[in-house]
């Protein structure tokens, strides 16, 4: 939190209604934000951040977990214990609308590997978290070719990149030398 700008947050508010898909760890973190817990090292959320978390609270959320218990305490959250790939495939076949992962690296990885990701969105915030960041998020992902479908800059500093992913059957060929 804290890196969004007003233009980016306004754009998020304009997006079509989304059902967010997440795993247990992301659910715990995000529901904590919704309950007013701030990330370590921060004092309080800004007004824009509070509005963003409030918007997420109002959105439909599907949480894939075998470790959480029903009922989930965060509003509009549904717990699914079934295999996430099978469940998302069924949701897409039923025309469940726009589905989007939030956080949940392992969930995103498995959905991508299974060919269930139609768009791959990368938002680049102007910060390098070398000392406080976690490991590389694309480890254990399949090799994927990304065909750009959209890009945009928000607040003069945040870059949105949207791609159509194609999982590769073999590693990409290195350029001839």
């Amino acid at each position: 939190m804290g890196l969004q700008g007003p233009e980016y947050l306004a754009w998020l508010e304009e997006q079509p209604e989304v059902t967010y898909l997440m795993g247990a760890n992301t659910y715990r973190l995000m529901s904590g934000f919704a309950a007013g817990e701030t990330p370590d090292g921060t004092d309080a959320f800004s007004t824009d951040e509070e509005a963003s978390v409030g918007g997420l609270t109002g959105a439909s959320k599907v949480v894939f977990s075998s470790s959480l218990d029903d009922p989930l305490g965060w509003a509009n959250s549904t717990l699914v214990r079934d295999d996430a790939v099978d469940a998302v495939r069924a949701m897409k076949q039923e025309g469940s609308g726009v589905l989007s992962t939030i956080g949940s690296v392992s969930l995103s990885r498995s959905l991508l590997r299974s060919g269930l990701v139609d768009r791959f969105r990368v938002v680049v915030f102007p910060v390098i978290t070398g000392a406080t960041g976690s490991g590389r998020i694309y480890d254990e992902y399949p090799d994927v070719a990304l065909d750009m479908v959209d890009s945009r800059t928000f607040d003069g500093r945040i870059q949105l990149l949207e791609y159509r992913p194609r999982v590769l059957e073999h590693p990409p060929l290195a350029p001839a030398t």
Side-chain angles (χ1 to χ4, degrees):
M1 304 301 268
L3 299 175
Q4 305 90 333
E7 185 180 347
Y8 176 68
L9 291 172
W11 177 81
L12 285 175
E13 293 293 320
E14 296 168 2
Q15 297 307 296
E17 188 172 314
V18 170
T19 297
Y20 290 100
L21 310 175
M22 63 186 78
N25 291 335
T26 299
Y27 173 83
R28 287 182 190 103
L29 177 70
M30 299 303 287
S31 64
F33 290 163
E37 298 171 16
T38 57
D40 290 342
T42 61
D43 294 327
F45 292 123
S46 71
T47 303
D48 287 338
E49 289 167 340
E50 285 180 4
S52 179
V53 171
L56 192 54
T57 294
S60 177
K61 296 167 290 295
V62 176
V63 182
F64 298 97
S65 174
S66 60
S67 63
L68 294 172
D69 293 320
D70 233 352
L72 295 176
W74 193 14
N76 304 309
S77 297
T78 302
L79 179 62
V80 174
R81 294 189 184 284
D82 299 331
D83 178 74
V85 168
D86 292 340
V88 170
R89 184 174 286 119
M91 291 169 75
K92 288 181 70 151
Q93 288 172 347
E94 294 165 3
S96 295
V98 178
L99 306 172
S100 180
T101 58
I102 183 168
S104 305
V105 174
S106 60
L107 173 63
S108 298
R109 205 173 25 230
S110 64
L111 296 177
L112 183 63
R113 192 175 285 122
S114 299
L116 293 172
V117 177
D118 302 317
R119 290 273 177 115
F120 192 85
R121 179 178 288 165
V122 177
V123 181
V124 181
F125 294 95
V127 66
I128 297 173
T129 55
T132 60
S134 61
R136 301 177 316 194
I137 65 171
Y138 298 114
D139 283 351
E140 300 180 36
Y141 266 66
D143 290 332
V144 178
L146 300 171
D147 301 318
M148 185 172 283
V149 295
D150 196 13
S151 66
R152 184 169 172 185
T153 300
F154 298 97
D155 303 298
R157 60 190 180 83
I158 299 167
Q159 187 68 45
L160 166 80
L161 307 166
E162 280 191 322
Y163 301 94
R164 183 169 293 112
R166 287 182 293 116
V167 176
L168 301 174
E169 293 184 24
H170 52 78
L173 299 175
T177 56

